[in-house]
Amino acid sequence: MAARRLIAAMLGASTLAACGDPLPQPLYNEVTPPAAFRVHPGGVRIDNEGYQLDAEGYRVDKSGERVGIIDVPAKTAGDGSNAVAGYYISTTGQNAPGRVAAPSEGAGAGVGAGPGAMNLPTPSQMPQQAPITPAPGNVPPPAGYR
């Protein structure tokens, strides 16, 4: 009796080991994503939008100048706003400089805030809805309906 149980346990363990992973595995080699750029004769790389790319992969115009590059320090020069203004920054040991952006009109009014949100009509001031005709309960069922 014990031998039968041992053999049954060994057969069960061997069938579970043979199953492997029961979930299907994706076949990544069936569909390959297209390259982000194509290479034309002469080594010119063109991205999928038709822009030429320089050696670092940036888009360039016909004169060779990079397209879409933003000079962040020049763009934010003179701007004193700071998203964490007034909060303590442990790495510097002081509060963050700058100012927090001022809230827009009606921002502190709560749910439904904004211009005109404080003058909401009450249910008695709302216009009455016209009844639906014919009322769904008064319409006979269509032919053939049980």
Side-chain angles (χ1 to χ4, degrees), residues 2-102:
R4 284 186 179 173
R5 288 185 184 166
L6 179 63
I7 291 174
M10 288 175 46
L11 282 174
S14 66
T15 56
L16 284 177
C19 287
D21 191 4
L23 297 176
Q25 298 298 318
L27 299 173
Y28 293 110
N29 57 357
E30 285 187 3
V31 178
T32 56
F37 62 90
R38 59 190 180 274
V39 180
H40 281 219
V44 177
R45 296 186 306 168
I46 309 290
D47 71 355
N48 290 337
E49 301 270 334
Y51 287 96
Q52 273 189 320
L53 303 174
D54 65 359
E56 286 82 31
Y58 289 101
R59 291 178 171 179
V60 293
D61 58 10
K62 299 291 182 191
S63 62
E65 297 293 322
R66 288 185 177 174
V67 177
I69 300 297
I70 299 171
D71 187 3
V72 175
K75 191 170 180 82
T76 58
D79 187 11
S81 66
N82 186 350
V84 293
Y87 286 102
Y88 179 77
I89 308 296
S90 61
T91 55
T92 61
Q94 56 190 357
N95 289 346
R99 60 176 169 76
V100 179

Side-chain angles (χ1 to χ4, degrees), residues 105-107 109 111-121:
E105 178 184 344
V111 177
M118 301 311 291
N119 300 327
L120 295 176

Side-chain angles (χ1 to χ4, degrees), residues 140-146:
Y145 185 78
R146 295 183 188 201

